Amino acid sequence: MEIVSNRLILRDYTSSDSSFYEELEQNPLSYKYENTAPDAKQIKDDFLSILSQATSDPRQYYDLAICTKLDMKPIGNVSIKLNWEEIREWEIGWVLLPDYWKMGYATESVKSLIGYAFSSLNAHRVVAYANAENVQSEKVMIRAGMLKDGVLRETRFCNQQWCNEIVYSSLEQEWANI
């Protein structure tokens, strides 16, 4: 699978992406707002799961490498999974290597995948969650056209303390107007 935007190509992972995926997942900044970073075994298991999910039918989870169009170099990951089939809700998430932060790549990839969810996955609602202290992720949600649903109080245990979580979403009728 491939989604093409102005500067990026979002594509399924291949076995040759293993070292990139390890680099992304081992970066301490990728888990700054989480409780624990995955160990080497968990990263390997997750990567094998991503490869197998790409061939499932029907597909309920998409984990895609974010690549620059210019050189096809992977710079991050964007994912979407079916959260709640009855209401056609999908949850989106993303992570980029820090060298590619603040360049609009996260926003571009999130917008592209949200568009795909509404046009091809029959989504009614796309939702994103983040640690309330993760200002960068909240900015991506806003720039991607998502609206704030609210704050979930102390629903995450991060860095050995309870943290609030923000929730943003896009609805299919709103997306049609963007």
Side-chain angles (χ1 to χ4, degrees):
M1 179 182 132
E2 219 176 65
I3 300 170
V4 180
S5 66
N6 289 341
R7 300 178 297 159
L8 302 173
I9 295 177
L10 313 179
R11 62 161 175 81
D12 281 321
Y13 281 92
T14 66
S15 56
S16 64
D17 294 314
S18 176
S19 60
F20 162 74
Y21 187 78
E22 288 174 21
E23 176 189 1
L24 183 65
E25 292 295 301
Q26 288 174 344
N27 189 305
L29 293 176
S30 295
Y31 288 90
K32 180 177 179 181
Y33 297 102
E34 303 295 330
N35 196 37
T36 57
D39 61 22
K41 182 185 180 327
Q42 184 65 52
I43 291 170
K44 182 180 178 180
D45 291 347
D46 288 349
F47 186 72
L48 293 174
S49 177
I50 287 169
L51 293 178
S52 71
Q53 289 165 0
T55 60
S56 63
D57 187 24
R59 197 162 171 186
Q60 297 184 342
Y61 200 103
Y62 295 78
D63 234 310
L64 306 171
I66 302 170
C67 302
T68 58
K69 253 188 188 177
L70 186 62
D71 58 9
M72 286 302 295
K73 179 180 178 182
I75 62 169
N77 181 82
V78 64
S79 64
I80 194 163
K81 67 178 180 176
L82 182 60
N83 252 9
W84 195 352
E85 190 170 5
E86 293 79 15
I87 64 167
R88 300 177 2 240
E89 179 184 87
W90 291 75
E91 180 180 341
I92 194 167
W94 57 91
V95 61
L96 269 74
L97 291 172
D99 289 348
Y100 298 93
W101 291 3
K102 297 185 179 184
M103 296 180 185
Y105 290 130
T107 302
E108 187 173 332
S109 61
V110 168
K111 278 183 172 180
S112 297
L113 193 50
I114 290 172
Y116 179 81
F118 289 127
S119 67
S120 301
L121 300 177
N122 192 33
H124 167 69
R125 171 181 162 86
V126 175
V127 64
Y129 298 88
N131 183 315
E133 295 178 18
N134 190 342
V135 176
Q136 294 296 90
S137 279
E138 185 171 22
K139 287 179 180 179
V140 169
M141 295 173 196
I142 293 166
R143 285 192 300 262
M146 302 179 92
L147 299 177
K148 190 171 189 175
D149 287 342
V151 177
L152 303 173
R153 298 179 313 132
E154 295 189 2
T155 56
R156 286 182 179 233
F157 194 71
C158 308
N159 302 314
Q160 306 306 313
Q161 65 181 0
W162 286 105
C163 299
N164 294 340
E165 186 170 45
I166 54 174
V167 183
Y168 276 74
S169 68
S170 288
L171 303 176
E172 62 186 323
Q173 70 267 23
E174 296 165 347
W175 193 257
N177 296 327
I178 292 179

